[in-house]
Amino acid sequence: MSGRAPLRTAAASTLIAILAVAVLAADQFTKHLAIQNLPSERPVPVLGDFLILYLIRNPGAAFSLGEGVTWIFTLALAAVAVVILWLMITRVGSRAWAIVLGLLLGGVLGNLTDRLFRAPGFAVGHVVDFINTPWMMPAIYNVADIFIVTMMIGVAVLVVSGLHLDGTRENRGHAADDTTPRDGGGDGGEESPSDGAVEARPDGEPRDGR
């Protein structure tokens, strides 16, 4: 079992919802700022080559893959969101899982919002990307992407650690064999007090107690 008592379903659902809304709001707010203040497809160095702001609208996935099938990514994001919502309502009782799934759901909803409501149209909208860290990866991404990637790693860590969605933990150890001899047991047992005992006679001289 986990060291802490599992959350009730209502508490876990509330935590997931709060975190998801917070990430969604942060993602959409930063995208709004990027659109209002950054030139399109022109690099704006912030910390040299360490951090560059570069506003683009991405119809595909990472590295602009799948630009012609935007609707597939919309369906994939929607499916992930539905699965997380189902787990939120029915399964999650772990604080760690609630935090990870809440942040992941927020990231998924951030990009799903772009797919559904941004140009060029419903379900084929382009995702707003504006963060570039060439020292780490060549891709341009956004706040939602950060939470999606990091929380997927978090999901893997929780799975490997054996923590279940309901807050219980997988017991990977095995009980040690009990090899302690027991009193009165056959071979290897302790001798009874009379075995080999010497009984004293009233005159003080010892005599064989058997």
Side-chain angles (χ1 to χ4, degrees), residues 25-148:
D27 174 70
Q28 292 298 307
F29 180 66
T30 53
K31 288 173 178 174
H32 171 76
L33 291 179
I35 292 171
Q36 293 297 316
N37 297 284
L38 295 177
S40 179
E41 299 187 15
R42 288 172 51 193
V44 178
V46 178
L47 296 173
D49 290 335
F50 184 83
L51 175 61
I52 300 172
L53 299 181
Y54 192 99
L55 176 62
I56 63 170
R57 289 169 172 82
N58 183 8
F63 307 103
S64 297
L65 298 175
E67 294 183 2
V69 286
T70 302
W71 61 273
I72 291 180
F73 302 112
T74 303
L75 290 178
L77 289 170
V80 173
V82 169
V83 169
I84 295 176
L85 289 172
W86 178 77
L87 293 175
M88 177 181 81
I89 296 171
T90 64
R91 298 286 300 278
V92 178
S94 161
R95 289 174 180 83
W97 273 108
I99 292 171
V100 168
L101 291 179
L103 297 177
L104 176 59
L105 178 60
V108 169
L109 292 177
N111 283 344
L112 181 60
T113 299
D114 287 7
R115 298 292 187 195
L116 293 176
F117 302 113
R118 293 193 187 275
F122 182 79
V124 291
H126 295 179
V127 172
V128 175
D129 292 329
F130 60 94
I131 303 172
N132 184 23
T133 48
W135 58 274
M136 183 172 63
M137 66 176 70
I140 301 173
Y141 51 95
N142 55 48
V143 171
D145 293 331
I146 294 173
F147 282 98
I148 291 173

